[in-house]
């Protein structure tokens, strides 16, 4: 699999603050996906991006597929306590020709009331 | 739809024991996957299947076997459990594996996971 660099590794913020995290790769992808994982659960898809430059929103979440196809970011606006969890980026397809999702190591988000 | 279901949720094995992790999906997806997640890491692909009767190795297949006799089921077998296989295992499915231009068929849906400890 290909290495995705996801940052930051963890964030500790107050309720109401905005959050930004990103993912970069040395290889290009055809699809970028953002997942959230709650403790003891499987990853749940938040946003899927299919075209370079695409900007997509899902409620308070906004994600973009980088123009170079090697990066993506996820923003969360006006964070709330239930946003707590681990956020993973994943790249699919592109130069590696595999079927697997190539995952970042995750960003752990903690939100205090 | 139940989506992707996995059993058991937790299991403790002794070194050398064997077990099968079950995975079932009711979304009529043709592609299914097994991943493992180690602490502080993203998920790594163990095996995948593009349809009934067809399986292939992922990034970390050693120590595991799979079979795909039906569209719905994709069990993962550990023959001789080792401490290095202590992990959380996730099954996932998608309508198809990949399109050249990207699209909704790339999206994989995950089960709740099986937490395995080998002592």
């Amino acid at each position: 699999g290909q290495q995705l660099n996801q940052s930051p590794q963890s964030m500790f913020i107050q309720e109401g603050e905005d959050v930004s995290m990103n993912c970069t790769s040395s290889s290009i992808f055809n699809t970028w996906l953002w997942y959230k994982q709650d403790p003891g659960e499987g990853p749940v898809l938040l946003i899927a991006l299919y075209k370079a430059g695409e900007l997509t929103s899902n409620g308070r979440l906004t994600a973009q597929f980088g123009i170079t196809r090697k990066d993506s970011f996820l923003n969360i606006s006006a964070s709330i306590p239930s946003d707590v969890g681990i956020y993973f980026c994943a790249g699919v397809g592109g130069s590696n020709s595999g079927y697997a999702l190539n995952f970042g190591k995750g960003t752990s988000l903690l939100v205090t009331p | 739809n139940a989506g992707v279901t996995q059993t058991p949720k937790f299991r403790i094995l002794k070194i050398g024991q064997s077990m099968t992790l079950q995975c079932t999906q009711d979304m009529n997806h043709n592609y299914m996957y097994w991943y493992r997640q180690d602490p502080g890491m993203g998920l790594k692909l163990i095996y995948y299947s593009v349809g009934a009767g067809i399986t292939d190795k992922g990034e970390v297949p050693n120590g595991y076997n799979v079979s795909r006799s039906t569209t719905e089921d994709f069990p993962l077998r550990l023959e001789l459990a080792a401490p290095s296989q202590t992990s959380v295992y996730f099954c996932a499915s998608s309508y198809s594996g990949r399109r050249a231009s990207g699209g909704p068929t790339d999206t994989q849906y995950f089960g709740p996971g099986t937490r395995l400890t080998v002592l």
Side-chain angles (χ1 to χ4, degrees):
Chain A
Q2 297 175 60
Q3 187 69 43
L4 268 63
N5 298 307
Q6 186 172 349
S7 64
Q9 189 173 9
S10 61
M11 301 183 73
F12 188 69
I13 62 170
Q14 283 195 320
E15 184 176 1
E17 290 184 7
D18 296 343
V19 172
S20 184
M21 59 191 79
N22 67 79
C23 230
T24 60
S25 171
S26 58
S27 303
I28 62 174
F29 291 110
N30 290 332
T31 299
W32 280 94
L33 305 170
W34 284 92
Y35 287 87
K36 181 186 180 217
Q37 186 176 27
D38 292 326
E41 301 293 330
V44 175
L45 183 68
L46 298 174
I47 291 182
L49 302 159
Y50 303 113
K51 294 181 183 178
E54 179 181 356
L55 184 70
T56 297
S57 293
N58 178 10
R60 294 178 295 105
L61 278 62
T62 301
Q64 185 157 31
F65 191 142
I67 289 291
T68 64
R69 295 168 63 194
K70 293 182 178 181
D71 63 303
S72 178
F73 73 74
L74 174 71
N75 288 342
I76 305 173
S77 62
S79 59
I80 58 178
S82 62
D83 290 334
V84 167
I86 302 177
Y87 293 78
F88 290 99
C89 62
V92 186
S95 54
N96 75 327
S97 74
Y99 296 104
L101 297 182
N102 296 273
F103 279 88
K105 293 185 178 181
T107 294
S108 179
L109 179 63
L110 292 175
V111 180
T112 59
Chain B
N1 281 355
V4 180
T5 57
Q6 291 182 238
T7 57
K9 197 162 180 63
F10 303 96
R11 185 72 185 268
I12 298 175
L13 288 180
K14 294 182 180 178
I15 294 173
Q17 286 186 320
S18 62
M19 77 163 293
T20 299
L21 284 67
Q22 301 292 344
C23 175
T24 300
Q25 54 91 11
D26 63 359
M27 296 175 282
N28 202 30
H29 286 168
N30 50 344
Y31 283 66
M32 295 187 75
Y33 315 80
W34 273 105
Y35 292 87
R36 60 176 287 172
Q37 184 179 32
D38 298 320
M41 303 293 289
L43 284 72
K44 292 187 180 296
L45 184 69
I46 305 171
Y47 269 95
Y48 67 96
S49 168
V50 302
I54 306 170
T55 63
D56 208 346
K57 296 178 181 179
E59 185 181 357
V60 290
N62 291 345
Y64 307 95
N65 280 302
V66 293
S67 59
R68 184 94 182 273
S69 57
T70 67
T71 299
E72 295 78 20
D73 302 306
F74 190 40
L76 177 71
R77 179 93 179 150
L78 283 71
E79 292 293 350
L80 291 170
S84 62
Q85 293 178 305
T86 294
S87 189
V88 182
Y89 292 84
F90 290 100
C91 180
S93 70
S94 65
Y95 184 68
S96 72
R98 177 175 63 88
R99 297 191 324 189
S101 60
T105 54
D106 291 326
T107 303
Q108 295 181 18
Y109 297 90
F110 286 81
T114 294
R115 184 175 296 275
L116 176 67
T117 302
V118 182
L119 301 174

